[in-house]
Amino acid sequence: MTLRRMATAGLLAAVVAATLGAVGASAGGPRPPATQDQSLRGLAARNGLYFGTAVDPAAYADAADPQYKKLVDSQFSTVTVENAMKWESLEPTRGTYDWAAADAFVANAQRNHQLVRGHVLAWYSQLPGWLNTGIQDGTIDGPQLRALLKKHITDVVTHFRGKIWQWDVVNEAVSDPWETPSAIHLGGNTGSLKQKFADLLGPDYLAEAFRTARAADPKALLFYNDYNIDAFGDGGPGDKTQFVYDMVKKLRAQGVPIDGVGSQGHLSTQYGNYDVLAVADSLQRFTDLGLAVALTEVDVRSLLKDAKDPTQDAAGADLNARDQAAAYNYHVLLQACLMNRHCLSFTVWGFTDKHSWIPGWFTNPPEGAGCLWDANYQPKKSLRTVQGDLAAAGPPLVQPRVPQKPHR
Ligand code: XIL
């Protein structure tokens, strides 16, 4: 062996040892690590995957709740701020920006060596009051809204230029099959703000939003982000995934600078489960278009009450079953992501039931318990499942099978 080769071999051994952490490479090969000692970011890094969370800056800054900050800093390699980059947060008064919360968030992320997902630029929801009113009462017309959106995207992307890994450029632009009309379309229910926003902007607004974002930051990855696009349906007019697929395919064909599709992944155990291979197939169809994909807002909520008597909390046995169903849903989304080399990141929308948007949003019937850690920061089955999936996703722990020779 030449000197150079030996040095390389030594380096390799050091890297492997470092990756294995406390694990000794004994004669029988590496032993599985004690998974509770492995951070999600560390386990995901073995597969080149970034593991992320949405962050609530108030909880992060709360000295009385130190566990929140500790877990954000130690467990995650990418972060999304839950609300602070939304239009209503950045420009509450027309013409006056307030960058303080978002800037502090980005600075923390950089200190922790975390990549930032920028969320969100073009979205009908959480608009500032002045804009909402103008859209609702008709005092802001189509050309005005287009100009406002263009300026908003330019200002925000320019402000954060060079600091954002993935931008959610357009969020939730598409209707759901239970809305009216039921054929999937740009917008939402007839008469809704979602529909007005789409109608005022006109069908070309997505292309323009991506082009505007690209002009302001040549390096950020530009995403279309939506929910209920986990798997394809029958390909018909009610198939939201198919609609989004056709939409981004067309954008690509027009030379629009779109780089990825974000699948939010807000699931609920009351609706049953997806299959790993169905979700993997859907991700693959998007990545076959030359796009990256990411799971951007994963959580798996459950009904909290006894279905037969909603005045009562669910019984312990039911909760245990729901916990396992939630874990399975996390598993399906994560496995599908791990199977696709263009799936860049897996982000959960909050990591503890203590700080989750679910109970405040899904109230009738009440839902909750959707995170990896419970409200007392105790690990749940979902966390253990995700850790196991990451550890089992490839080398160094999972290696090609070793054929056994018959003993003589
Ligand atoms: C949610 C936040 O978590 C809440 O705090 C807020 O009140 C409403 O919005 N899809 C998205 C996110 O793209 O921005 C939403 O975040 C959750 C659904």
Side-chain angles (χ1 to χ4, degrees), residues 61-350:
D62 184 358
D65 187 3
Q67 196 66 4
Y68 187 89
K69 178 181 185 312
K70 199 176 149 202
L71 287 171
V72 170
D73 292 351
S74 61
Q75 293 288 328
F76 301 99
S77 42
T78 171
V79 282
T80 311
V81 71
E82 200 173 343
N83 292 301
M85 285 192 193
K86 292 173 181 174
W87 200 334
E88 68 173 3
S89 306
L90 294 179
E91 199 187 0
T93 309
R94 188 167 179 173
T96 309
Y97 284 104
D98 180 356
W99 305 108
D103 283 349
F105 162 79
V106 171
N108 283 330
Q110 289 180 334
R111 202 171 307 124
N112 292 321
H113 307 289
Q114 292 160 323
L115 298 181
V116 177
R117 295 199 82 260
H119 178 82
V120 53
L121 297 171
W123 190 29
Y124 73 94
S125 187
Q126 294 184 271
L127 295 169
W130 57 267
L131 184 51
N132 227 323
T133 312
I135 294 173
Q136 297 280 17
D137 68 14
T139 53
I140 291 177
D141 65 14
Q144 282 173 318
L145 184 59
R146 281 183 89 107
L148 283 166
L149 181 62
K150 188 165 187 178
K151 179 173 166 14
H152 174 70
I153 294 175
T154 302
D155 290 351
V156 175
V157 177
T158 303
H159 179 83
F160 294 109
R161 179 168 37 215
K163 296 178 177 168
I164 304 294
W165 180 34
Q166 305 173 9
W167 261 118
D168 287 335
V169 177
V170 180
N171 195 35
E172 301 179 358
V174 168
S175 68
D176 288 295
W178 58 83
E179 292 181 315
T180 313
S182 61
I184 309 296
H185 53 280
L186 269 190
N189 261 324
T190 310
S192 65
L193 176 67
K194 190 172 182 179
Q195 190 63 56
K196 281 184 189 158
F197 185 78
D199 288 343
L200 278 177
L201 289 170
D204 295 338
Y205 89 87
L206 284 93
E208 189 169 344
F210 281 100
R211 290 196 169 111
T212 307
R214 172 58 74 236
D217 188 337
K219 292 201 179 143
L221 296 176
L222 306 181
F223 274 68
Y224 176 76
N225 192 50
D226 215 330
Y227 59 89
N228 282 350
I229 55 167
D230 312 86
F232 282 85
D234 62 5
D239 186 342
K240 185 171 176 180
T241 311
Q242 183 70 48
F243 186 95
V244 169
Y245 174 86
D246 293 340
M247 185 176 82
V248 296
K249 186 175 178 190
K250 196 168 148 208
L251 290 171
R252 288 278 303 153
Q254 291 169 341
V256 172
I258 175 173
D259 303 304
V261 170
S263 176
Q264 293 183 2
H266 292 294
L267 304 184
S268 174
T269 57
Q270 66 168 309
Y271 301 125
N273 309 312
Y274 289 105
D275 300 325
V276 175
L277 295 181
V279 177
D281 174 65
S282 148
L283 295 181
Q284 165 110 39
R285 287 181 64 182
F286 283 112
T287 60
D288 282 350
L289 296 174
L291 297 167
V293 288
L295 273 298
T296 55
E297 305 182 15
V298 179
D299 50 21
V300 187
R301 59 191 189 274
S302 285
L303 295 166
L304 296 178
K305 297 283 181 185
D306 180 342
K308 286 199 216 80
D309 178 4
T311 63
Q312 303 290 320
D313 284 342
D318 296 338
L319 290 177
N320 192 32
R322 287 171 204 182
D323 244 25
Q324 299 194 50
Y328 182 75
N329 279 278
Y330 271 100
H331 161 82
V332 166
L333 297 185
L334 180 56
Q335 291 256 302
C337 176
L338 284 164
M339 284 165 65
N340 191 311
R341 295 174 66 207
H342 301 279
C343 187
L344 304 180
S345 54
F346 187 95
T347 293
V348 294
W349 203 245

